[in-house]
Amino acid sequence: MKPYLLKGHERPLNFVKFNREGDLLISCAKDHHPTLWFSDDGYRVGTYNGHNGAVWTCDITWDSEKLITASADSSVKLWDIASGKDLFTFSTSEPCRAVAFSLGDRMAAYSTDQFMGQPSGIHLVNIADDLSEQKGDVIKSLSGPKGRITRLAWTDLNRTLVTAGEDGFVRRWDVETGKITAENRIHDLDIKDMRFSKDGTHFITASGDRTAKIVDAQDLTVMKEFAFERPANAADMSPIADHVVVGGGQEASQVTTSAGKAGRFESRFFHKVYQEEFGTVRGHFGPVNAVAFHPDGRSVSSEMRS
């Protein structure tokens, strides 16, 4: 496996996302500037400047023309991927964390953190075809549970949202009624990452309780579990093989007190069905905070905390 080292952020990484074709890679970090890379050679194309806080997550439209980002500066921004232009800003009163386009890219959902007495929430907005007609009106808000909603995804042809939270729960929300239709506490600690399979039938989560789990997207039952010696910060599933990658490592506050080997700063590969570990990729000098399979399934991106 040939590694490419991508250096461009000044603060810890939070999230990484490939576009559908896999030729572009977006990285989000605490340094306020989402960054665009060519995935084949690691060339840094440029940054998206406009946020004033940590950028937690992002999503890319099907045609790779627009990017949406959620930030701790209480805003969600739409960007033109090619030019880096800030197309529109959805302003909120609370820090934003998770964001995702709907199937068809006509809507987007984003989560806001519990803040100043306000509970966490999920907010739905329309995405206009003609951005000169774009409005910031929230068409529906779903009142969330206590604690942050760390990840969200659309499913069931946009009829349902699936969320993961720092309370260890995964939940299914009916988009029309705003009601929770199913929930299951699958982790003892916070869920740090959630990624859906290519066919949308199941998803994988990573948690501070040192496990990653594959979960049925309909009934939220745990199908497989992968043990990790350190907190699991990120996980993803191969689109072409029965492979799972899990990244994590020792808590950042303890990094200086142990060697890299003891901290387990690595990406570990497991068989999806048999749950057996079959490979490890080392080289990071801190906890791995984000991982993602390339859409062709032949490479993996892993991002480290500074």
Side-chain angles (χ1 to χ4, degrees):
M1 180 178 288
K2 181 181 179 180
Y4 288 94
L5 179 62
L6 280 60
K7 297 181 68 174
H9 289 285
E10 298 176 353
R11 298 287 310 281
L13 274 292
N14 295 320
F15 189 76
V16 63
K17 176 78 175 184
F18 285 100
N19 68 334
R20 179 173 61 92
E21 295 87 356
D23 59 323
L24 303 178
L25 177 70
I26 301 288
S27 56
C28 301
K30 293 183 179 180
D31 64 3
H32 311 177
H33 307 304
T35 300
L36 174 65
W37 314 81
F38 286 143
S39 64
D40 59 345
D41 58 5
Y43 178 77
R44 183 184 180 185
V45 181
T47 58
Y48 299 91
N49 300 318
H51 281 300
N52 294 309
V55 181
W56 295 111
T57 57
C58 69
D59 200 8
I60 302 170
T61 54
W62 183 260
D63 58 11
S64 300
E65 291 188 358
K66 299 184 187 70
L67 169 73
I68 192 167
T69 54
S71 172
D73 66 3
S74 302
S75 74
V76 171
K77 285 182 176 289
L78 270 176
W79 310 84
D80 180 82
I81 286 185
S83 68
K85 182 180 179 181
D86 182 348
L87 299 174
F88 193 84
T89 299
F90 300 94
S91 298
T92 71
S93 300
E94 302 85 22
C96 303
R97 188 162 298 267
V99 66
F101 284 115
S102 65
L103 179 65
D105 303 323
R106 295 295 183 89
M107 292 188 292
Y110 62 87
S111 70
T112 51
D113 292 348
Q114 185 176 341
F115 185 71
M116 298 292 289
Q118 294 295 319
S120 60
I122 304 168
H123 310 282
L124 310 183
V125 292
N126 284 320
I127 304 297
D129 292 331
D130 182 353
L131 287 176
S132 65
E133 301 176 358
Q134 181 66 55
K135 297 180 179 179
D137 299 340
V138 173
I139 58 176
K140 184 180 288 289
S141 290
L142 289 62
S143 181
K146 290 184 178 180
R148 299 165 178 161
I149 297 171
T150 54
R151 295 289 187 270
L152 60 81
W154 297 79
T155 187
D156 298 342
L157 298 176
N158 297 336
R159 294 191 297 268
T160 303
L161 284 167
V162 175
T163 63
E166 68 174 8
D167 55 3
F169 276 86
V170 289
R171 295 178 171 89
R172 285 174 56 89
W173 304 74
D174 186 290
V175 171
E176 183 67 27
T177 65
K179 303 292 186 181
I180 296 174
T181 58
E183 62 180 358
N184 187 14
R185 190 182 186 198
I186 62 171
H187 288 287
D188 295 329
L189 296 177
D190 57 324
I191 300 175
K192 298 177 179 293
D193 196 15
M194 179 181 75
R195 300 260 184 174
F196 265 74
S197 62
K198 186 177 181 179
D199 62 8
T201 60
H202 55 286
F203 57 86
I204 190 168
T205 58
S207 171
D209 66 5
R210 305 184 179 188
T211 63
K213 298 183 180 183
I214 293 179
V215 183
D216 185 280
Q218 293 299 316
D219 60 20
L220 304 183
T221 57
V222 176
M223 302 163 65
K224 299 290 180 180
E225 179 175 332
F226 307 91
F228 209 68
E229 287 84 357
R230 304 296 184 192
N233 296 327
D236 199 8
M237 296 174 287
S238 169
I240 63 171
D242 289 329
H243 298 164
V244 165
V245 61
V246 182
Q250 186 176 333
E251 292 292 341
S253 61
Q254 302 173 1
V255 166
T256 57
T257 65
S258 68
K261 185 176 181 180
R264 303 303 294 251
F265 308 143
E266 55 198 22
S267 299
R268 300 171 61 189
F269 292 82
F270 297 86
H271 193 281
K272 187 176 180 180
V273 177
Y274 301 114
Q275 301 165 261
E276 298 171 346
E277 182 178 349
F278 65 84
T280 302
V281 176
R282 298 183 176 91
H284 288 297
F285 297 96
V288 178
N289 202 38
V291 296
F293 269 101
H294 190 282
D296 69 8
R298 300 184 182 279
S299 63
V300 172
S301 173
S302 62
E303 309 291 339
M304 183 188 75
R305 290 183 186 267
S306 299

